[in-house]
Amino acid sequence: MKKLFIVSVIGIVFLSACTPNKPSSYRGLPQQYTTAYEQIYGHCYDSVSCAVVGLDIYSDGLTLDEERRIKGTGYNLCITDIFVPDSLLEEGEYRSLPYTEQGIADPQPFTFLPGRDFEGYPHGMYILNIEEDKVLSIQVLDSGSMVYRNDSLTFTLYFRNTYGSRVTYNCYFTGSLMPWLKQ
């Protein structure tokens, strides 16, 4: 009986050492993105007083062709609904909206939608892993924040990994945001 107890204690200590209690920096995704498009939607929601923009950000190795299709191999970070005071992304700190019992909290300037899987399609915040023009995987991001200052974006984003642990993903983009008007 003592051997079983010792093995159980060792197993518990091992499992608690493998399961982080605090978020860690996720290393499987790129830390730097090289190209960013700002998608300008304007005042597209009747019930929301702010304008809406989106960000479409690419790692090294991905480009868009003349027909705006993604080409190459890399990662594509998307944030579909960012609520801004005017019509463009303004310098400042942005936070994802929290979920309430009624759904998502009311959009305010300097907020954005959290990621959700909607019937197999990502919405809000998500990352596409693309290889040779095919999507290999989609990672929906639960929540996060971003700071936009002087042609740079820094992100702290969160998601659950395949083991259910919350993971912190830090990344950045430096350069000019290219406008991309939705047609």
Side-chain angles (χ1 to χ4, degrees), residues 18-170:
C18 291
T19 307
N21 293 331
K22 62 181 184 172
S24 60
S25 182
Y26 191 75
R27 300 186 194 281
L29 296 169
Q31 298 293 297
Q32 180 180 8
Y33 288 83
T34 56
T35 308
Y37 292 93
E38 181 177 15
Q39 300 169 340
I40 303 164
Y41 300 107
H43 293 275
C44 60
Y45 295 119
D46 291 337
S47 61
V48 177
S49 62
C50 359
V52 179
V53 300
L55 288 175
D56 200 19
I57 305 172
Y58 301 100
S59 69
D60 195 31
L62 286 182
T63 60
L64 294 179
D65 66 12
E66 314 79 48
E67 296 174 5
R68 296 184 182 175
R69 288 184 300 216
I70 298 173
K71 294 290 182 190
T73 297
Y75 291 87
N76 176 205
L77 170 60
C78 301
I79 304 178
T80 61
D81 292 271
I82 304 168
F83 301 98
V84 295
D86 194 10
S87 61
L88 297 173
L89 195 66
E90 294 184 16
E91 287 192 354
E93 296 182 26
Y94 294 77
R95 299 221 176 269
S96 61
L97 291 165
Y99 278 93
T100 66
E101 290 180 15
Q102 294 77 26
I104 297 175
D106 289 334
Q108 301 296 319
F110 299 98
T111 62
F112 53 91
L113 290 182
R116 281 289 184 227
D117 184 335
F118 183 71
E119 297 179 3
Y121 293 96
H123 184 71
M125 295 187 303
Y126 55 93
I127 298 173
L128 302 175
N129 177 5
I130 300 169
E131 185 174 304
E132 297 303 320
D133 311 331
K134 292 183 176 46
V135 176
L136 294 182
S137 66
I138 300 170
Q139 178 63 59
V140 176
L141 303 163
D142 301 331
S143 60
S145 63
M146 68 178 188
V147 176
Y148 179 50
R149 298 221 195 295
N150 298 325
D151 289 333
S152 72
L153 286 158
T154 56
F155 300 90
T156 302
L157 306 169
Y158 302 98
F159 62 91
R160 300 243 174 236
N161 66 16
T162 55
Y163 303 106
S165 299
R166 190 173 190 213
V167 174
T168 302
Y169 173 45
N170 296 299

Side-chain angles (χ1 to χ4, degrees), residues 5-27:
F5 176 73
I6 292 172
V7 170
S8 297
V9 169
I10 291 171
I12 290 170
V13 170
F14 176 74
L15 286 175
S16 63
C18 291
T19 307
N21 293 331
K22 62 181 184 172
S24 60
S25 182
Y26 191 75
R27 300 186 194 281

